Structures are given as structure tokens and as C-alpha cells.
Amino acid sequence: MFDQPTDFVFGLGNGDTVTLRDANGNTVDEHVYTAHAAGVLARCPDGTGDVVDIATSTKGLRNACGNPVRINEIESDGGTPGDWVELVNPTDSAVDVSGVVVKDDDDAHAYAIPTGTTIVAGGYLVIEGADLGFGLGAGDAVRVFDGDLLVDSTSWGEGHAATTWGRCPDTTGVFGVTERATKGAANACAGEIAVSAWPGSPEVRVLDSAPTFLEDSSGLDVQETADGAVLWAVDNGEGRIFKLAVQADGSFATIPGWEAGKRVRFQKDAANPAAAGPDTEGITVDGDGLVYVASERDNSAKGVNLNTILEVDPEAAQGDLVAQQEWDLTSLLPAVGANLGMEAVQWVPDSALDGKLFDRNTGAAYDPTDYAGRGDGLFFVAVEDNGHVYAFALNDDGSATLVSEIAPGLAGVMALDYDSVLGVLWAVCDDGCQGRSAQITLNGTAQPGIAHFARPAGMPDINNEGFATAPASLAVNGQRPVWWFADGFASEALRTGTLPANVGGNPGGGNSGGGNPGANPGQTPPLPGTALTDGNRNGVTVNPSVASRGDRVTVSVGAERAGEGIAAWMYSDPVLLASGAASAAGTFTVTIPTDAPLGAHRIAIYTASGELVGWADIRITAGGALAATGAEAPTVGILLAIALLVAGAAAMRRRRHSA
């Protein structure tokens, strides 16, 4: 097993050969496959059997042969109502677990799951201690059998876990002590906050039931034009881009002249039409209608990482599009494997970044006047290897300046999209972290607000590498479409779902000013500070209630508001910093701004429609525990918004896209 991703410098294609050789070059083992696996290719039984397609990836662990059900969390001491075992279905379809047997470390203690028992895709099954018929002790084990085959097991030393014993990250990780018990739900791991449910529709719809795109689908971006909204898509195998007209229901139609798309090419290959071209992983459009693609390597040299952004005029020619300008960012980004580099690109206008993006060069909020000669926006790129997002000023002379770095809390980032309706940057992972996404709210500090969301319930856990949100102009009945683009599919690559609609503009279109802030309670304070009284606190709590600048505090609004869109404020002069969704537990973590005035303040929470949920007191001090000087009364003060920070983590894996 390789210790570092950089040991693996090539990709595995849709039909390839894997050969293992010893130090003398002798072939030790080899496997030839004709197409990507639906799950993963693995030996069953582990280590000795034939190589077969199984549903569950267990990187670095024993192969998941037999029934794919897995142990996920165990309560062995003082649970409610007692001991219990939680099983999880890690696949994207329902699993029949009838007859699966659960044991502890004693073979005489056995529980057979009743006939007709299934676990929904990604779902959980809790077996209570009373049903097991035996208890779980200190220094015990839980084992799961499919017939005589041991499919999963875990043990926990000499004592009981202080909380519960579970997989971290949820479903895919190794076992350890959890942050808290989450019976029948995703595990809460140390340093994590629960992932919220997808804030839009749980249903998604396939748009390309017939073969429409190539098999290496990657990035997406939406552009508003005088003729309607356009969805741009890119393929990484040929460097081909597609231009699609989209409607409010998410459906698309190919624009005349773009039926076969157009291939983007490096400047060096202008006279060589047979050149392999860039490995284009992401696409975006600026305010002038120019298209930019992000390439992590030259397809003629697949073993070399080459992180390059190429600019093309999409209407410059009917055939191939040779780059007008190129920016090589390889030396400005972390050194990674050839297939683990730049995965996405998104242009964001200065109007949405001024005073909100943290500038690493100045140590303060971004000021566009500090960066001359580079247009009127910045380009955000994502690196697969570390899951970080980087903001660059791309200069007219082909040079680039790194302005900011953001860690969204995902194991990998495959797609980026600026959502002008919410005023947030979306970072999206693929099936390496169960399709989770991070909603990044810029607040002018080095710690932007980050909220994590699960993929929609109806979305299979597939290799989605593209994501785009629609502007408010496509909203119908309070909903607007969003799109996902999956790698490795000749058809069923493009899917659509929804997100709630508010008023806003699209940074890639004519309205690049970030929308109408007066129409959204996340932009304009719904109430003056004097309207917050003891009678409308409504049970909102802040923990701790005394904090320093830059500290993180947890706000609780109640489990009944799980997943609900809210806005957080710190009164009294209104300045918006963040809005987002409550976690599955009705909580979220916010960061006190580093320039917050010392003294007494109040954190008030509002719904997306501007209704007050409730509020709580907080005191900002120079040292966290000591009283501050210059404190203001709770009914007066300076309002500073709070950055939403709901973090989750997931295991990373290498992509299975065509090499």
C-alpha cells in the first residue's frame, strides 16, 4: 500500500491493466479489466480470491466481500435504553440484510436479523440490546457474518468507550471514540460538526438518458445572457466544452453550432491538431463572456502535474479553440501527483469579494485596488489532493498572484460554484466523501463561515465532478435549479435538482453586482437591536457566552429547526457576515470576527423570510474569560455578523476518471 498520494502518478482508465512488479522488474501480479467497476475491483475472499466488482471501497482495510452491510457505531455502556449496535448500508441502493448474524466475542452469543429486513441506501439499522439477547462488555467485540463469511468486525480494548465506538469519518473510516452518540444517524467525530441535510429538493432528475456527452465529464458553470441562461460543461478527456441553453425546470437544449462541442487547446499545439490537449477539469465564465478552463496536466504527458488555466473566446471559431492566454499555477500550488491537482475553477467578481475575502498578502480584507492589471474579479481553484481552495489574481501578462487560501473541511474538492443568490461559494466533493458539499461564506477574516451538507437523498453516490447553481432569474415557485455532472458515464452524467430561490444576480452575466441585498434577510438586518427583548429570546443559546475575537461558539436554535435556512447577527449596528442552515441537531458553530468591539453583544437568529427565531447574550473580551473595557449595554452596540461554520470530514480517495 502506498503511503503518499504522490507515489501514484498516473490514472487508471475505463478499461486498463494493473501490474505489480518486484524490484527486479518481474511481474508478481496483474489484472486486466475492460471497464470501470460499478463499485471497486477487489479480491474475494480478501487476498486470495478472484478479482470481482464489489459495492464498497475499503481502502487500506480488508475487502468488503459478501453482504456490504457494515458496523458503524456501538454503545456498550449506559446507552438509551441500553447497549445497541448500529449497522450502515454504504451503497447507493437498498440492501437486504435478512439472515445476517451479529455476534460479540463469544460465538454462543448470536443474533440473526429477521427475514424481510432491508436498509435503505446510505441508511442505518439499530439493533437494540434487548433484541440482541446479550450485552456488550468492556473489552468486547462486535462481529457481523454473512453465512460463514466474516464481513466486518471491531473491538474496543479493555474498557468502554467514553461516548460510543464508531467509524470516523462516518460509514467509511476506522473505528475510534466518537464525539457523542448519534444513534441511527451519521457519526459525530472529534473535530467535526454534524452534516446538514441537503437544503434543496431530495429528488434529482437525470437529464441525458441517451448518450449526449463524452465519458470524462467534469466542470459546469452558469452564465446569464440576453438570450437566456447558458450552462457550460467541460470534458477532461478531449478538453471539449459544451454550451447548453437551460430552463427553469433544469432541462437543457444544445445551442446551434455546439452540437459536438468545441475542443480547447494549448497555445503550443495551435499547429498540431493531433495533439492530446489539456486535461480540462473545470470551467467558468467571466463578466465579459470569456471562458476559462482549469487543466491539471497535459494529456500528452499524463505523469506530470501541470496546473494551468486557459482563456478562450468561445465564439472565436467553429472548430478548435486555441487559448488566448494561459496561466501556469503549478509553482504557486502544492506539489501533488499528476492526477491529484487542480480540479475546478470559478470566477467571482470583485463586487462580491471586496471587504469579504481574506487577503493573505495584506492580512486584512481584500481590496481590489491592491491588484491592478488583472480584470475585475478573482479566480478560485480547487486542488484534489488536499481539498483546499485558492483565490488568484490572473494578471494580463500571464503571471498570477495568490490572494487567499481556504480549507473547506472536505477530503477533496472536485467542483466550485459561486452562488450569487446566497452570496456563497460552493465546494463539492465526489463519492470520495459521499457527495458532500461545503458552503463557504466569506467574512473578511481568515476563518470564513463553512456549512457542510449531504448530497440530496435521491442522488446516487457517484463521481460528480461538476456543480452549478442557477441565478434568481430561473426561479419558479420559490425554487431554482442546480446541476451535477458525473465522470465516467456515457449517459446519465448530467442531473438536476433544486435549491431555494431568493433575489440575486449571476457573477458570470450582466448583473455582476451580487444581487439585491435588500431583499434577503441574510443581507439586511430584519429588526433593529431595540426589538430584541427578554420576551423574544425563545430559548436560543450560545456556548460559551464569553469569548475572544476569533473564537468559535456554538449557537443552538432547537432540533425542530434542523436544516432550516437562517441568518446570524451580532447586534447592534447591522453588518451581514453569514447565513446558512442549522445542522441536523439544530446547532451551528460561528466565528467571532477578529475586529469585533469588546463588550456585551447579542447574537440574534432569523429565518430566511426575516422572522426572528430568538437571541442570546454574548460578551467579547480581550482574553475570553476576563471582563472587557468599553463594554456596551445589551440594547446598544455594534452589529457584526457571524460566520456560519458547520464542518464535516470524509475520507479521500483517488478518482476513477479516464486516464
Side-chain angles (χ1 to χ4, degrees):
M1 182 177 67
F2 293 111
D3 293 327
Q4 299 293 335
T6 50
D7 292 331
F8 201 87
V9 296
F10 52 87
L12 296 175
N14 188 21
D16 211 333
T17 301
V18 178
T19 304
L20 180 66
R21 295 186 174 91
D22 62 19
N24 296 319
N26 301 313
T27 298
V28 176
D29 199 4
E30 185 172 81
H31 180 69
V32 180
Y33 60 97
T34 58
H36 289 308
V40 293
L41 295 173
R43 289 195 181 278
C44 283
D46 180 72
T48 60
D50 294 334
V51 177
V52 296
D53 189 340
I54 63 175
T56 307
S57 171
T58 55
K59 183 179 178 181
L61 304 173
R62 182 174 51 82
N63 292 345
C65 305
N67 194 299
V69 68
R70 288 293 173 266
I71 304 165
N72 198 53
E73 188 177 7
I74 299 165
E75 173 59 82
S76 65
D77 183 35
T80 303
D83 294 348
W84 46 266
V85 174
E86 177 190 88
L87 304 181
V88 64
N89 172 9
T91 73
D92 58 6
S93 59
V95 168
D96 187 341
V97 292
S98 304
V100 168
V101 175
V102 179
K103 299 181 180 181
D104 63 2
D105 62 357
D106 185 345
D107 283 337
H109 295 164
Y111 168 78
I113 297 177
T115 300
T117 303
T118 60
I119 307 177
V120 299
Y124 307 91
L125 172 67
V126 175
I127 304 172
E128 301 287 358
D131 295 322
L132 283 173
F134 54 86
L136 300 173
D140 208 339
V142 170
R143 298 174 293 162
V144 175
F145 292 84
D146 180 4
D148 294 330
L149 177 65
L150 177 67
V151 298
D152 202 12
S153 65
T154 185
S155 59
W156 50 93
E158 297 182 357
H160 295 287
T163 51
T164 58
W165 185 250
R167 291 190 184 275
C168 285
D170 178 71
T171 304
T172 61
V174 297
F175 280 94
V177 178
T178 65
E179 185 76 10
R180 63 181 184 278
T182 55
K183 187 177 183 180
N187 292 346
C189 302
E192 294 181 352
I193 298 175
V195 176
S196 298
W198 174 249
S201 63
E203 301 82 14
V204 296
R205 187 174 86 257
V206 173
L207 295 175
D208 57 328
S209 55
T212 305
F213 306 99
L214 305 178
E215 292 189 23
D216 296 307
S217 303
S218 288
L220 295 174
D221 197 28
V222 173
Q223 176 192 18
E224 283 190 282
T225 73
D227 297 323
V230 169
L231 181 66
W232 291 92
V234 66
D235 167 86
N236 65 64
E238 291 189 1
R240 194 171 295 273
I241 64 175
F242 299 87
K243 185 179 182 181
L244 311 168
V246 288
Q247 305 298 321
D249 64 354
S251 61
F252 74 91
T254 302
I255 292 175
W258 287 87
E259 290 82 1
K262 297 183 181 182
R263 192 170 62 134
V264 175
R265 299 168 59 199
F266 287 114
Q267 292 176 343
K268 69 180 181 64
D269 297 328
N272 182 12
D279 182 7
T280 47
E281 300 286 352
I283 188 168
T284 191
V285 188
D286 70 6
D288 295 324
L290 294 175
V291 171
Y292 300 78
V293 295
S295 175
E296 68 178 346
R297 55 189 178 177
D298 185 336
N299 278 326
S300 65
K302 292 187 175 182
V304 180
N305 184 224
L306 182 65
N307 295 310
T308 308
I309 294 179
L310 298 86
E311 173 196 284
V312 296
D313 181 349
E315 308 301 335
Q318 290 300 313
D320 290 353
L321 302 173
V322 177
Q324 300 179 148
Q325 182 64 282
E326 298 175 3
W327 293 268
D328 184 352
L329 307 181
T330 309
S331 64
L332 299 175
L333 292 170
V336 299
N339 199 33
L340 296 170
M342 196 161 59
E343 280 293 312
V345 61
Q346 176 64 54
W347 179 79
V348 182
D350 285 340
S351 58
L353 303 174
D354 190 359
K356 297 178 182 178
L357 176 69
F358 178 76
D359 188 336
R360 67 194 295 271
N361 300 315
T362 64
Y366 169 69
D367 182 349
T369 62
D370 292 335
Y371 299 90
R374 43 96 223 167
D376 56 357
L378 298 181
F379 289 81
F380 290 72
V381 302
V383 172
E384 178 180 358
D385 184 75
N386 62 7
H388 286 205
V389 176
Y390 302 83
F392 284 95
L394 301 186
N395 303 317
D396 297 338
D397 61 1
S399 64
T401 303
L402 177 60
V403 178
S404 191
E405 179 179 355
I406 300 170
L410 296 171
V413 174
M414 310 302 169
L416 292 172
D417 186 74
Y418 180 72
D419 186 340
S420 60
V421 171
L422 298 178
V424 301
L425 183 69
W426 289 93
V428 181
C429 189
D430 62 359
D431 51 340
C433 33
Q434 299 83 53
R436 291 175 178 171
S437 57
Q439 189 187 83
I440 304 168
T441 303
L442 304 175
N443 54 28
T445 76
Q447 296 178 329
I450 299 176
H452 278 215
F453 297 95
R455 70 182 189 274
M459 172 70 76
D461 191 10
I462 56 178
N463 192 17
N464 281 315
E465 293 193 356
F467 177 75
T469 61
S473 61
L474 290 184
V476 175
N477 297 325
Q479 298 293 314
R480 59 195 169 103
V482 296
W483 296 269
W484 292 264
F485 209 24
D487 190 9
F489 294 84
S491 60
E492 300 191 4
L494 185 62
R495 287 171 169 80
T496 187
T498 68
L499 277 175
N502 288 310
V503 176
N506 188 309
N511 179 10
S512 61
N516 176 9
N520 187 339
Q523 300 288 331
T524 300
L527 292 174
T530 53
L532 304 179
T533 66
D534 286 340
N536 56 25
R537 286 178 178 267
N538 297 334
V540 171
T541 62
V542 177
N543 183 33
S545 59
V546 179
S548 298
R549 294 164 171 165
D551 283 355
R552 298 178 181 180
V553 299
T554 299
V555 181
S556 176
V557 295
E560 67 276 7
R561 294 190 179 275
E564 185 174 333
I566 53 179
W569 301 80
M570 190 162 75
Y571 272 77
S572 46
D573 286 342
V575 176
L576 170 67
L577 200 56
S579 61
S583 73
T587 64
F588 55 93
T589 300
V590 296
T591 302
I592 304 300
T594 56
D595 59 350
L598 304 180
H601 300 274
R602 287 161 297 162
I603 294 180
I605 307 299
Y606 296 92
T607 66
S609 60
E611 298 176 0
L612 177 68
V613 174
W615 63 276
D617 292 310
I618 189 168
R619 179 174 290 276
I620 310 303
T621 73
L626 300 176
T629 59
E632 296 173 315
T635 56
V636 247
I638 305 270
L639 175 125
L640 291 170
I642 306 290
L644 179 69
L645 181 57
V646 180
M652 180 170 178
R653 64 147 187 84
R654 292 187 176 88
R655 296 174 294 111
R656 297 194 305 269
H657 76 107
S658 175

